[in-house]
């Protein structure tokens, strides 16, 4: 396990570069993001450990970041003053572009992985905006009418994007639809809906509504989305069946789940980060019947089957946890390159950790 100290700044988001396996960006905030400056770290993984290649200070907190999909040196960040800034790490000090349209804190930014020429942002002001790095104004504004903590494009379509917000709703927008009336909104799924019924089992009741803080599209199954938040549960949904409730429910975290991210290598594996100071790796149970009980068995050597309770909840289960953080864990991300299982996490303990998921699976 490698470690880097973000002295005086608390971590909010971490992302591996899509171009280099040895480069990581971390968005941080002073004073836990409540008041004060932000700092964007560009870190390099070397034989001597993690080194800071460059950093950029901002006047307000940083809450999220996303690497450009077209320019290897550019990173966009979400800030607490409602602005969005684009930095070029080949230059010094100042952003190459800045946008100021959101009325409140910007909590998420995400680059379009398919079209690669746009990115989206979401804010506490109840809107999602789509931007081009070459335009000074947003291209589209999508209202959610609720504090929106997470927004992202589908990795399978250039025109599909989704969000989760404080009203516990997963929204899916299709930019190919007419803008009138619905503002491209095509689907709304209540995250607290009861689990779909399974033959031979009584489904568990619906859970109380709670704020949804994070979500992610599955990288292999283009209709599956995972979401989580204040109620501590991770749920997966199939957007082809929005009225049937979650496909799987993954209980285990002791406090709110702050980040979920699907594996870029395996279709049934995801990582989570939580206020309970742990990162956990899960299978959603979708690969039951393959080697060792799930697809991840080949990678992690785990396949002890699932009991009745797991089947009721969709067949998913926790496969391991990392508890080396000493404060809230806010960000986690998978490495796209090299051996399957490397990831990075950051939190309010002013530490970035780079670790191997397979190591915690062996414990």
């Amino acid at each position: 396990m490698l470690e880097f100290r973000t002295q005086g700044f608390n971590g909010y988001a971490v992302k591996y570069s899509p171009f280099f396996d040895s480069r990581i960006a971390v968005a941080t905030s002073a004073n836990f993001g409540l008041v004060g400056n932000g700092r964007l770290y560009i870190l390099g993984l070397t034989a001597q450990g993690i080194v800071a290649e460059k950093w950029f200070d901002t006047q307000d907190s940083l809450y999220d970041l996303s690497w450009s999909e077209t320019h290897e040196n550019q990173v966009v960040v979400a800030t607490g003053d409602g602005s969005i800034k684009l930095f070029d790490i080949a230059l010094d000090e100042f952003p190459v572009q800045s946008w100021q349209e959101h009325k409140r804190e910007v909590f998420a930014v995400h680059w379009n992985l398919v079209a690669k020429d746009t990115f989206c942002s979401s804010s506490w002001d109840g809107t999602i905006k789509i931007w081009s790095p070459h335009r000074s104004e947003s291209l589209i504004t999508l209202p959610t009418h609720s504090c929106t903590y997470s927004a992202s494009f589908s990795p399978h379509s250039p025109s599909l994007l989704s969000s989760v917000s404080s009203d516990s709703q997963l929204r899916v927008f299709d930019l190919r639809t007419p803008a009138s009336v619905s503002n491209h909104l095509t689907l709304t799924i209540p995250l607290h809906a009861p689990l779909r019924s399974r033959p031979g089992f009584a489904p568990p009741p619906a859970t109380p509504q709670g704020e949804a803080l994070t979500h992610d599209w599955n990288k292999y199954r283009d209709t599956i989305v995972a979401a989580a938040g204040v109620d501590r549960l991770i749920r997966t949904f199939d957007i082809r069946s929005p009225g049937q409730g979650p496909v799987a429910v993954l209980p285990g975290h002791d406090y709110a789940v702050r980040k979920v991210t699907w594996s870029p290598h395996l279709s049934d594996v995801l990582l989570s980060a939580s206020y309970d100071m742990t990162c956990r790796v899960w299978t959603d149970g979708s690969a039951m019947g393959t080697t060792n009980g799930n697809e991840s068995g080949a990678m992690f050597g785990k396949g002890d089957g699932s009991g009745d309770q797991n089947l009721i909840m969709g067949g998913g289960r926790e496969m391991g946890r990392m508890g080396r953080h000493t404060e809230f864990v806010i960000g986690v991300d998978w490495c796209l390159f090299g051996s399957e299982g490397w990831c990075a996490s950051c939190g309010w303990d002013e530490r970035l950790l780079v670790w191997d998921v397979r190591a915690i699976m062996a414990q």
Side-chain angles (χ1 to χ4, degrees):
M1 183 176 292
L2 301 176
E3 178 177 333
F4 180 85
R5 185 76 185 273
T6 58
Q7 185 74 39
F9 290 86
N10 311 104
Y12 263 88
V14 57
K15 294 289 174 62
Y16 276 91
S17 166
F19 296 97
F20 304 104
D21 61 356
S22 60
R23 181 171 288 168
I24 297 175
V26 187
T28 66
S29 301
N31 305 306
F32 306 100
L34 301 176
V35 64
N37 297 355
R39 178 173 288 177
L40 170 66
Y41 286 92
I42 307 299
L43 306 177
L45 305 180
T46 72
Q48 289 73 42
I50 304 176
V51 299
E53 297 179 346
K54 185 167 285 190
W55 60 82
F56 300 91
D57 289 330
T58 58
Q59 292 184 343
D60 214 310
S61 303
L62 297 185
Y63 294 134
D64 198 16
L65 67 95
S66 183
W67 287 94
S68 168
E69 290 291 323
T70 58
H71 197 303
E72 64 190 30
N73 289 327
Q74 292 188 349
V75 185
V76 66
V77 296
T79 74
D81 62 6
S83 69
I84 300 162
K85 301 183 187 301
L86 181 68
F87 287 95
D88 190 317
I89 65 176
L91 306 176
D92 293 325
E93 295 188 34
F94 302 110
V96 294
Q97 181 67 284
S98 182
W99 299 270
Q100 182 85 53
E101 290 188 19
H102 284 294
K103 305 302 185 218
R104 294 198 61 190
E105 292 89 337
V106 182
F107 225 59
V109 285
H110 188 266
W111 214 278
N112 191 321
L113 301 177
V114 181
K116 300 182 185 297
D117 58 351
T118 56
F119 64 91
C120 67
S121 64
S122 68
S123 169
W124 292 7
D125 65 7
T127 65
I128 301 167
K129 291 180 180 286
I130 299 173
W131 311 83
S132 165
H134 308 296
R135 298 278 294 273
S136 60
E137 299 177 346
S138 62
L139 304 176
I140 301 173
T141 298
L142 305 171
T144 65
H145 309 293
S146 182
C147 178
T148 305
Y149 292 107
S150 174
S152 67
F153 280 98
S154 165
H156 308 281
S157 169
S159 58
L160 284 181
L161 70 156
S162 55
S163 70
V164 294
S165 42
S166 59
D167 61 359
S168 190
Q169 301 289 323
L170 167 65
R171 293 177 172 85
V172 178
F173 299 86
D174 189 340
L175 303 182
R176 295 168 296 189
T177 61
S180 59
V181 184
S182 64
N183 290 295
H184 302 292
L185 180 66
T186 58
L187 195 62
T188 302
I189 300 176
L191 300 186
H192 53 281
L195 193 72
R196 62 177 63 183
S197 60
R198 297 180 184 277
F201 297 102
T207 55
Q209 181 172 326
E211 290 190 314
L213 304 177
T214 177
H215 79 299
D216 192 39
W217 290 83
N218 189 283
K219 308 303 188 294
Y220 294 91
R221 294 174 285 152
D222 60 3
T223 62
I224 301 297
V225 180
V230 171
D231 69 358
R232 304 172 295 171
L233 300 175
I234 301 170
R235 299 174 174 86
T236 66
F237 295 88
D238 190 330
I239 63 173
R240 295 171 300 182
S241 307
Q244 295 189 18
V247 178
V249 177
L250 304 172
H253 277 295
D254 299 318
Y255 293 102
V257 181
R258 193 59 172 73
K259 183 71 175 179
V260 292
T261 176
W262 287 100
S263 168
H265 307 291
L266 300 171
S267 67
D268 67 317
V269 174
L270 66 159
L271 268 175
S272 61
S274 168
Y275 288 160
D276 66 10
M277 300 185 287
T278 68
C279 294
R280 307 193 188 199
V281 59
W282 313 79
T283 173
D284 70 350
S286 61
M288 294 291 289
T290 61
T291 304
N292 289 330
N294 52 57
E295 181 179 328
S296 55
M299 171 181 171
F300 298 120
K302 290 273 186 174
D304 54 3
S306 300
D308 287 350
Q309 183 62 29
N310 278 356
L311 291 175
I312 294 172
M313 305 299 273
R317 60 186 175 88
E318 179 185 332
M319 298 193 294
R321 70 183 68 177
M322 191 279 290
R324 295 284 293 275
H325 282 285
T326 57
E327 256 292 357
F328 293 168
V329 190
I330 309 294
V332 67
D333 191 39
W334 295 90
C335 180
L336 299 174
F337 305 99
S339 300
E340 299 171 356
W342 281 98
C343 66
S345 58
C346 66
W348 280 10
D349 55 3
E350 302 180 2
R351 296 159 69 214
L352 167 85
L353 300 180
V354 175
W355 45 285
D356 190 348
V357 170
R358 293 167 297 183
I360 67 170
M361 293 302 306
Q363 295 174 2

